[in-house]
Structure formats: structure tokens, C-alpha cells
Amino acid sequence: MIKGFSKLSKSKKIDWIIERYFNGNDDAKLVLQQYWNTNEKLQQLHDEFIENTITNYYLPYGVAPNFLINGINYTIPMVIEESSVVAAASKAAKFWLDRGGFKAEVLSTTKVGQVHFTYSGNSETLFDSFESIKSIIISDAKPITKNMEARGGGILDIQLKDKTVLMANYYQLHCTFETLDAMGANFINSCLEQFAKTLKREVGCSLDGDLNITMSILSNYVPECIVRASVTCKVEDLNEDPNITAEDFATKFVQAVKIAEVEPYRAVTHNKGIMNGIDAVILATGNDFRAIEAGAHAYAAKDGQYSSLTHASVEDGIFKFWIDIPLALGTVGGLTRLHPLVKFSLQLLGNPSAKDLMKVVAVAGLAQNFAALRSLTTTGIQQGHMKMHLMNILNQVEANDSEKSTLLDYFKDKTVSHSAVIQEINKLRN
Ligand code: MEV
């Protein structure tokens, strides 16, 4: 146990870690130090994002060009460690560029927050007095909501919900908000904490029962903050693979999506592939990927069974493929003005509104899923995946530039596997 760790200087924190976990070996210290930024201001910015920063953890920042979305051409920034993701996105973007591009529309933008509380008094009396309490709740929150209201957002509604069938004495204020270009977590949580104070005070003044606030917090489940992205083309225009007809490809593709719709084991992997694209853009644009993940998977289970986030159909010779996904995103606030690379990403995307960013992110997810299903239903995933992974294997065995170039060339038309690469590098080295 160490007391006061957060109060130690960065170098003292590192000394303690090296002593305690690395037998005092300074090589471990060098590993950390090599990632420090020589630009002290930038390093300080990163140090201050969180507590106890000892170094920076780099992830690759790539871009996928040629994304035509509602007639606008985007180059999408992606932050991700998985080798094949950016390549797959770029491939899908190019494929759909020649077929009219992606369409995207925001269907709704409502965010949610809740005040959870217990009340021991009569439920009917609570409901009877709620309308008048609600107007006081809203007026007490004015100092927090007035700027957001001036911009066209604010509180949409506050509903009292009786949850006593789930838990004794449990009620909630289920509150909805419009937060415009902000993700809105701070705005919503500040409103909710104020709502809770007013509720407790007003119920205390006018009703008999005991009211206790359990907690006030936004919900990351936002089934009314939905964006739809889609692609469509004639079946005959669909396939470029000489080994399978366009019709057979369309049939297999729709089957693959259907399997993810009806079978949870497959649905989870299918949606994981979608999140490869989504999370990469979320990270690049400084949004909260944990919130997006939690909300997306809850939405995928909204009908009682975990299912696919994408859907596909073939009707009258027309192939359609689309995603509906909840995305509570922000393009102001949070990291957006702080992190230089987040600012860069947003500029690269033309400084989008939150709604425009929702469209770009949904398209990235759809494109990723298209690329994955296209490989899975034709060549299999490993061909492309292992091609991209080849460089990782070569780096693992510390191949030099000439060995890399020889082996990249050698594996151009061969199946990559870990053992095959080791065998070839050993041959080269002997
Ligand atoms: C790998 O990161 C993602 C895939 O497994 C997605 C899928 O199976 O659809 C390829």
C-alpha cells in the first residue's frame, strides 16, 4: 500500500514503480521515457488529462480516403491498432464511391438522464403533485439551461416514473434533453443534480412520505438518438470478384446479415466488426468510445435478443445495406478544443456539427461491416487480415528493411501464416 501516490512528482512515481515492480531496472524507465514528448507544453497537456500520468500510450492514427457521404467526399481519420481496419475501410469506401456512395440521415437526437430516488409515501399523491413540482424543477434549473436554450436546445421533458414493481419504493425522473453539438454529459448531469435538489425540497415541503435521492446521472442508452447510414445499388453492379457471380454474392451477403440478426454468437462478432470502424473514428474525434459501445450494444439487444446492428435486403434486383445506430456525439466541449489531434480530425472532416459527425461515424461502421462480410462470404477473412498482419510478424522477428521487402514480395500471392513467415525468414537468414 502506498499513501499519497498522486501527490508525488512524475519522476518519483516512476521511481516507485521501477523499484517495486521492475527490481530497480532502469531499462523499464527508458521504455516509459521514450514516449515522453519533447514539447513540454504538449506533454503537460497530456499529463493533465488524467491523474498519475507516467507516459503516453501511442496508437496509430490513419486515414481512409474516398468516402462519398451524401455527395460530399470525406477522408476519415481512424485511430486503431488492428492492422486490417483502415485498409478495409478504404477498400469499402472505394467500392461504394463507384456506386453512388453512402447516404446518411439523423433520425433523432434526444439524450437521456435520470434521477433515481426512493419515496415511502403514497404514490398517487406524488403523481398528483408532480405537474406543479415539475414546473419548479424546470425554473430552478434555468441558470444551467439558459445558454443551451438560447442556442435552441435544453430540457425536452421530465417524466415521473413509478418503478416500484422493480424495487420497493423506487421512482425516477426520466428526463430528455437536446444538447445540439455537445455530447452533453456535463450539461445533463448538472441539470439532473439540480432537479434532484428541487425535487427533494418540494416533496419535503408538501408531501408526507420520505424522499431520498439515490443518484442522478445521464444514461448512455440513447435509443432516440439514432443515425441511419445506407448503401444501395443494382445487384448486377455489386461484385468485382471473378470467382462468384453478383447474384450469388448478394444472396450470401444477405444470408450473412440474417445470421447475425437471428444468432447472438455471430451477432456479437458481426457488431464487433462494426465497432472497429465506429470506435476508430470516435477516438480520432475525441469522443467517448465506452459510452458509444455501451449504448450500441444495448440497442442491439432492444428487442429482447442481441442482434445485428446492420440489415440487408435484395428486392426487385436492388441490393440495400444499412445500419441504424445510437450515437450521442459531440463536436464541441470535452477534448475537442484541447487535444491537437482531435482538432486536426475535426478540421479534416470540415468541422462537422454533431449531426454530421454522427453520419460519418455510422458510415465508417457500415463500411467496416461491408468489408468484413465481403471477405467472409468470398475469400475468407484471413487472406486480407494476415496480409496486413504480415508486417506485425516481421516486426516481431525484428526483420530488417531488406528482409521485409523480400518477404512482402514473397507473400504477395501466398497465404500468410505465422509459421510460414518464420520458415521463410529462417531460410533467408541461413
Ligand atoms: C475482426 O476484428 C472483425 C471481424 O471478425 C468482424 C466479422 O466477423 O464480421 C472480421
Side-chain angles (χ1 to χ4, degrees), residues 82 84-85 266 269-274 276 368-369 372-373 376 381 385:
E82 191 173 325
S84 53
V85 170
R266 174 56 203 153
T269 318
H270 177 98
N271 288 346
K272 186 275 181 188
I274 294 171
N276 278 344
Q368 206 65 47
N369 191 221
L373 293 181
L376 286 168
I381 203 75
H385 199 79

Side-chain angles (χ1 to χ4, degrees), residues 184-402:
N186 282 332
F187 171 75
I188 293 173
N189 288 332
S190 302
C191 285
L192 295 171
E193 289 185 4
Q194 179 56 51
F195 296 174
K197 275 189 204 148
T198 308
L199 177 73
K200 183 153 175 70
R201 186 191 69 218
E202 290 304 312
V203 168
C205 291
S206 56
L207 300 183
D208 283 344
D210 240 8
L211 184 145
N212 284 305
I213 304 294
T214 310
M215 58 190 163
S216 310
I217 186 73
L218 97 167
S219 172
N220 291 123
Y221 185 42
V222 280
E224 297 298 331
C225 186
I226 301 289
V227 52
R228 173 172 296 167
S230 62
V231 284
T232 182
C233 71
K234 286 187 191 152
V235 168
E236 68 203 50
D237 293 341
L238 202 51
N239 201 24
E240 288 169 338
D241 186 337
N243 299 315
I244 181 169
T245 67
E247 287 69 25
D248 285 350
F249 170 68
T251 305
K252 277 183 89 173
F253 192 97
V254 172
Q255 267 168 7
V257 175
K258 183 87 194 152
I259 290 169
E261 284 172 343
V262 298
E263 213 285 319
Y265 278 89
R266 174 56 203 153
V268 171
T269 318
H270 177 98
N271 288 346
K272 186 275 181 188
I274 294 171
M275 299 317 283
N276 278 344
I278 302 246
D279 283 347
V281 190
I282 296 291
L283 269 170
T285 56
N287 276 276
D288 178 344
F289 64 91
R290 287 85 57 209
I292 297 303
E293 284 277 346
H297 296 298
Y299 188 74
K302 70 181 187 323
D303 297 323
Q305 177 179 300
Y306 190 88
S307 178
S308 169
L309 288 164
T310 55
H311 309 281
S313 68
V314 171
E315 270 168 40
D316 303 328
I318 302 292
F319 170 82
K320 277 193 195 146
F321 179 47
W322 71 98
I323 184 169
D324 284 350
I325 185 164
L327 291 172
L329 300 180
T331 53
V332 297
L335 277 192
T336 53
R337 276 212 207 118
L338 270 182
H339 198 301
L341 281 174
V342 170
K343 274 203 253 176
F344 179 92
S345 299
L346 291 172
Q347 204 172 339
L348 178 65
L349 292 171
N351 289 319
S353 63
K355 279 186 176 174
D356 285 340
L357 185 59
M358 285 168 80
K359 295 175 197 168
V360 170
V361 171
V363 163
L366 187 73
Q368 206 65 47
N369 191 221
F370 179 79
L373 293 181
R374 188 157 178 249
S375 300
L376 286 168
T377 55
T378 55
T379 55
I381 203 75
Q382 283 308 84
Q383 195 185 79
H385 199 79
M386 291 307 285
K387 274 250 140 64
M388 294 306 300
H389 194 52
L390 174 58
M391 190 53 92
N392 286 348
I393 305 175
L394 291 172
N395 281 331
Q396 259 169 36
V397 295
E398 296 182 358
N400 62 31
D401 286 349
S402 129

